[in-house]
Amino acid sequence: MKTTTIYQIAKELRISSSTVSRALKGHPDISPKTRERVLEMAVRLDYEPNMFAVSLRKNSSKEIAIIAPTLSGFYYDSFISAVEFEAKKLGYSVIVLLSGDDPIAERQNLKTCRQRRVACIMICITSKTLHTEIFESIQSSDIPLIFFDKVPDFAGVKSVCSDDFAAAAIAANELLCKNKVNSLSIFGDPNFSITRIRQRAFEQTFLDVNASAKIQVVHASSSAEAENAVVQAFQNYKPDSIFCMSDEILIGAMKAVQILALKIPEEVSIISISNGFFPRLYFPEITYVETSGFKLGQLVMDLFYHAVQGHAINTNSILNPILVRGGSI
Amino acid sequence: MKTTTIYQIAKELRISSSTVSRALKGHPDISPKTRERVLEMAVRLDYEPNMFAVSLRKNSSKEIAIIAPTLSGFYYDSFISAVEFEAKKLGYSVIVLLSGDDPIAERQNLKTCRQRRVACIMICITSKTLHTEIFESIQSSDIPLIFFDKVPDFAGVKSVCSDDFAAAAIAANELLCKNKVNSLSIFGDPNFSITRIRQRAFEQTFLDVNASAKIQVVHASSSAEAENAVVQAFQNYKPDSIFCMSDEILIGAMKAVQILALKIPEEVSIISISNGFFPRLYFPEITYVETSGFKLGQLVMDLFYHAVQGHAINTNSILNPILVRGGSI
DNA sequence: GTGAAAGCGCTAACAA
DNA sequence: TTGTTAGCGCTTTCAC
């Protein structure tokens, strides 16, 4: 590989490497004529800066790390897409580290980030994440650490997430507005604060608005469990509606609805909190409260941009969910 | 950030930095006792090697770049997951570059890879990618370039992909075995060789086996187009089966099936080539020929591992598709 | 078995 | 406006 360095440009032009370095990055001291010549030669020699040298010198890389449990299409893919899209505008690249639901792997991922001295870490924690000293150790280093979506409970963290309370409240309201008062409500892993918040919001709103309304709460930490829960529920009693806390739950519930051959919305109404992709797979399309991974990615990049500018990062940023009506209620 | 360097370890131990460097990587020259002491001190000081310095010195990074059109859950997410999983075992990280369907962005992504001197590039081309010098320029550099899934036509490239011919042939066979002889067959963008191969395989197999069978071919480059195609087809005539070349097409077709309220498999049979996730969303589950993104990712990492060992990479690696029966035929 | 020293390519303080 | 120089942290000859 014919690697061109600033020295070669300098030699070619019989000037010093520092002049070349400065000219290349538009330093105001350099005369237009010199700059011109340098830029031209750089193109001619197909010069590309050696990122390793730059990083070593500056002691920071142009990389953003995203740590997520998985990539599979419920949420993170769109989050990552948004981050990647914005990042490249700023000259950053995105490195993706997957944790599964394994806190050990997550810990290892964090170490990798530190080792690579990434410019920023964006992380969605596992359901089993407990130990906090690694987070603190990173917080106290100079790497910005931003939690997204699944945020740990302990204080002082920077985070971006949807307004989980509002999202569930909106869903509850929508059901009640349509006189659905007997809800099977399926939530995810209660280890996540996101789950507890959504559940509290849903129950509270539902019963506040209509004291005689009924909620049957179920926890399902996979699509299969959600499917099961629906099948079970319809053997015992007939809820008039199903609330799904997430896409993962929605697709399980919908599988059950198909198996039971329930007519939507005649026999059962469906509403979900969702990224927006899966609800459109069905007919009628499912009404959902959108908590967009893509928008969240854009939001976090706003924060990042501020941080790069040297501004402090707000502790928490919250995205407002919106209701998207399908034909499922 | 308290950055520990080998110098600090050296100073602490009153030995030289080169000894530390050697001890740290298990160089045989170093006495067990010294090594012991170095390792211990490294742990105590929480030493982590500075990747920038290592990379600068060695002129290569521990990064694998994946360039894909998108992340959205049809295929690439599972491919990337597999690569990431295997990569970290070898101490590599994965950087993800998205091109959309834009060859300009793709080109830019390739430049980024070169600039970052990634250890390897794995790329799935856009539908508009033409034979460009940039590929050759990269091939001739020392960065391994491996195409996956969507592979360009021009010769001499290294690639991994599923056996596209076999996949479509298996699907055609399965339909005929079940006496489905009037197929609506939906294919993707004919710019991709993958599309042309699957189409040729399907038509050839279908008509070879049963000369009186009928195929109605449609091209759809999005789910919406596929949905449309199915609705149209059922207005004009009644195919007994639908073949979908990909998941993207499948979900469009299934939307139409729901809209038309067609009974599966009584009124229409469905078969798809798929990554395996979407077929299970429906009931009955859709029969599909699996072309696994995850397995492809594992395969490409095998190649990569060989390359790292200094062995040459085989020109083409092919993954055998398998039939997974649901209840849709 | 261990140390001294050069250098990977770049930036920035200091000089001129 | 431009040049000189000293590193960033590591690896690796070459010497002892």
Side-chain angles (χ1 to χ4, degrees):
Chain A
M1 180 151 168
K2 46 149 220 306
T3 309
T4 304
T5 72
I6 56 172
Y7 282 99
Q8 317 199 10
I9 297 179
K11 194 155 94 179
E12 210 70 30
L13 259 31
R14 300 163 177 287
I15 58 180
S16 85
S17 65
S18 34
T19 303
V20 175
S21 174
R22 284 190 273 248
L24 248 20
K25 54 169 38 73
H27 192 110
D29 275 2
I30 300 300
S31 75
K33 206 172 63 187
T34 310
R35 169 159 43 248
E36 189 80 2
R37 297 201 318 135
V38 169
L39 258 29
E40 200 175 303
M41 185 57 74
V43 170
R44 204 151 76 69
L45 263 37
D46 195 23
Y47 170 78
E48 299 197 358
N50 184 320
M51 297 302 286
F52 303 149
V54 176
S55 293
L56 176 58
R57 189 67 230 276
K58 303 265 205 72
N59 196 36
S60 94
S61 72
K62 289 277 202 178
E63 297 183 334
I64 294 170
I66 300 180
I67 303 180
T70 152
L71 228 51
S72 54
F74 301 116
Y75 198 80
Y76 309 111
D77 55 350
S78 56
F79 176 84
I80 293 171
S81 298
V83 171
E84 200 273 342
F85 187 76
E86 300 296 329
K88 62 175 30 154
K89 291 187 198 161
L90 304 174
Y92 287 77
S93 292
V94 170
I95 114 170
V96 172
L97 278 347
L98 270 18
S99 306
D101 197 37
D102 177 9
I104 311 280
E106 181 177 68
R107 201 189 166 76
Q108 188 54 52
N109 287 337
L110 284 162
K111 283 191 180 167
T112 301
C113 290
R114 218 175 33 187
Q115 190 173 290
R116 292 187 176 276
R117 285 154 172 84
V118 297
C120 181
I121 302 174
M122 303 172 181
I123 180 172
C124 173
I125 60 172
T126 77
S127 68
K128 299 164 193 139
T129 301
L130 298 173
H131 267 309
T132 62
E133 70 278 6
I134 178 109
F135 292 118
E136 280 157 11
S137 134
I138 292 202
Q139 298 263 35
S140 73
S141 78
D142 52 2
I143 304 180
L145 177 65
I146 306 177
F147 294 88
F148 70 93
D149 198 41
K150 311 278 196 321
V151 177
D153 277 334
F154 52 89
V157 303
K158 317 220 181 290
S159 69
V160 294
C161 55
S162 302
D163 188 335
D164 294 309
F165 195 96
I170 289 171
N173 256 318
E174 178 70 5
L175 285 175
L176 291 172
C177 285
K178 301 290 172 63
N179 289 315
K180 303 301 170 186
V181 292
N182 184 8
S183 163
L184 169 63
S185 304
I186 314 177
F187 297 91
D189 192 322
N191 279 333
F192 289 123
S193 69
I194 194 176
T195 300
R196 299 192 298 273
I197 293 173
R198 289 180 178 183
Q199 183 173 344
R200 186 154 41 81
F202 188 85
E203 292 180 326
Q204 200 167 301
T205 308
F206 211 74
L207 301 177
D208 266 14
V209 175
N210 185 332
S212 67
K214 285 198 176 59
I215 303 178
Q216 166 87 351
V217 168
V218 178
H219 289 277
S221 49
S222 70
S223 299
E225 284 182 34
E227 175 187 332
N228 235 351
V230 173
V231 171
Q232 296 286 322
F234 274 83
Q235 280 173 351
N236 304 328
Y237 70 110
K238 285 182 64 106
D240 59 13
S241 56
I242 303 174
F243 165 75
C244 305
M245 191 197 96
S246 67
D247 279 307
E248 190 171 8
I249 287 168
L250 173 64
I251 62 178
M254 285 303 294
K255 181 74 169 291
V257 166
Q258 292 175 77
I259 292 173
L260 300 170
L262 297 169
K263 286 250 183 311
I264 299 173
E266 293 81 359
E267 300 179 68
V268 65
S269 291
I270 314 274
I271 191 166
S272 183
I273 297 180
S274 166
N275 197 9
F277 177 78
F278 289 97
R280 290 181 219 281
L281 253 37
Y282 305 100
F283 183 83
E285 294 186 353
I286 309 302
T287 293
Y288 65 97
V289 182
E290 186 201 67
T291 58
S292 161
F294 198 86
K295 285 183 191 164
L296 201 71
Q298 293 176 318
L299 181 61
V300 77
M301 283 307 290
D302 282 350
L303 290 201
F304 176 74
Y305 185 68
H306 277 218
V308 168
Q309 308 276 306
H311 305 313
I313 300 184
N314 291 334
T315 302
N316 287 302
S317 275
I318 290 182
L319 200 65
N320 277 117
I322 55 174
L323 178 68
V324 179
R325 289 199 177 87
S328 66
I329 302 188
Chain B
M1 178 155 172
K2 47 146 222 304
T3 309
T4 305
T5 71
I6 54 172
Y7 282 99
Q8 316 199 11
I9 297 179
K11 195 154 94 180
E12 210 70 29
L13 259 31
R14 299 163 179 287
I15 56 179
S16 83
S17 64
S18 25
T19 303
V20 175
S21 173
R22 284 190 273 248
L24 249 19
K25 55 168 38 70
H27 192 110
D29 274 3
I30 301 299
S31 74
K33 205 172 63 187
T34 310
R35 169 160 44 246
E36 190 80 0
R37 298 201 318 134
V38 169
L39 258 28
E40 200 175 303
M41 184 57 73
V43 170
R44 204 152 75 69
L45 262 37
D46 196 24
Y47 169 79
E48 299 196 358
N50 183 319
M51 296 302 286
F52 304 149
V54 176
S55 293
L56 176 58
R57 189 67 230 274
K58 302 264 205 74
N59 196 36
S60 94
S61 72
K62 289 277 203 178
E63 297 182 333
I64 295 171
I66 300 180
I67 303 179
T70 153
L71 229 50
S72 52
F74 300 115
Y75 199 80
Y76 309 112
D77 54 350
S78 54
F79 177 84
I80 293 172
S81 298
V83 171
E84 200 272 343
F85 187 75
E86 300 296 329
K88 64 176 27 153
K89 291 186 198 163
L90 303 175
Y92 287 77
S93 293
V94 170
I95 114 170
V96 173
L97 278 346
L98 269 19
S99 307
D101 198 36
D102 177 9
I104 311 283
E106 180 177 70
R107 200 191 165 76
Q108 188 54 52
N109 286 337
L110 284 163
K111 283 191 178 166
T112 300
C113 291
R114 219 176 32 187
Q115 190 173 292
R116 293 188 176 275
R117 284 155 174 84
V118 297
C120 180
I121 302 173
M122 302 172 181
I123 180 171
C124 173
I125 60 172
T126 76
S127 68
K128 298 164 193 139
T129 300
L130 301 173
H131 183 357
T132 47
E133 340 68 71
I134 183 123
F135 289 117
E136 281 161 7
S137 134
I138 293 205
Q139 298 263 36
S140 73
S141 77
D142 51 3
I143 304 180
L145 177 65
I146 306 177
F147 294 88
F148 69 93
D149 198 41
K150 311 278 196 319
V151 177
D153 277 335
F154 50 90
V157 303
K158 316 218 182 290
S159 69
V160 293
C161 56
S162 303
D163 188 335
D164 293 310
F165 196 95
I170 289 171
N173 256 319
E174 178 71 5
L175 285 176
L176 291 173
C177 286
K178 301 290 172 62
N179 288 315
K180 304 300 171 185
V181 292
N182 185 9
S183 162
L184 170 63
S185 306
I186 314 178
F187 297 91
D189 192 322
N191 278 333
F192 289 123
S193 69
I194 193 177
T195 300
R196 298 193 298 274
I197 292 172
R198 289 181 178 183
Q199 183 173 344
R200 188 155 39 80
F202 189 84
E203 292 181 325
Q204 200 168 302
T205 308
F206 212 73
L207 301 177
D208 266 13
V209 175
N210 184 334
S212 66
K214 285 199 177 56
I215 303 178
Q216 166 86 351
V217 168
V218 178
H219 290 277
S221 49
S222 71
S223 299
E225 283 182 34
E227 176 186 332
N228 235 351
V230 173
V231 170
Q232 296 286 321
F234 275 84
Q235 281 174 350
N236 303 329
Y237 70 110
K238 287 182 64 106
D240 59 13
S241 57
I242 303 175
F243 165 75
C244 305
M245 192 198 94
S246 67
D247 279 308
E248 190 171 9
I249 287 168
L250 173 65
I251 63 178
M254 284 304 294
K255 181 73 168 293
V257 166
Q258 292 174 78
I259 292 173
L260 300 171
L262 298 170
K263 287 250 183 310
I264 298 174
E266 293 81 358
E267 300 179 68
V268 65
S269 292
I270 313 275
I271 192 167
S272 183
I273 297 180
S274 167
N275 197 10
F277 176 77
F278 288 97
R280 290 180 220 280
L281 253 38
Y282 306 99
F283 183 83
E285 294 186 352
I286 309 302
T287 293
Y288 64 97
V289 181
E290 186 199 67
T291 58
S292 162
F294 198 86
K295 286 183 192 164
L296 201 71
Q298 293 176 318
L299 182 61
V300 78
M301 284 306 291
D302 282 349
L303 290 202
F304 176 74
Y305 186 68
H306 276 220
V308 168
Q309 308 277 307
H311 305 314
I313 299 183
N314 290 335
T315 303
N316 287 302
S317 277
I318 290 182
L319 200 65
N320 277 116
I322 55 174
L323 178 68
V324 179
R325 289 199 177 87
S328 66
I329 302 188

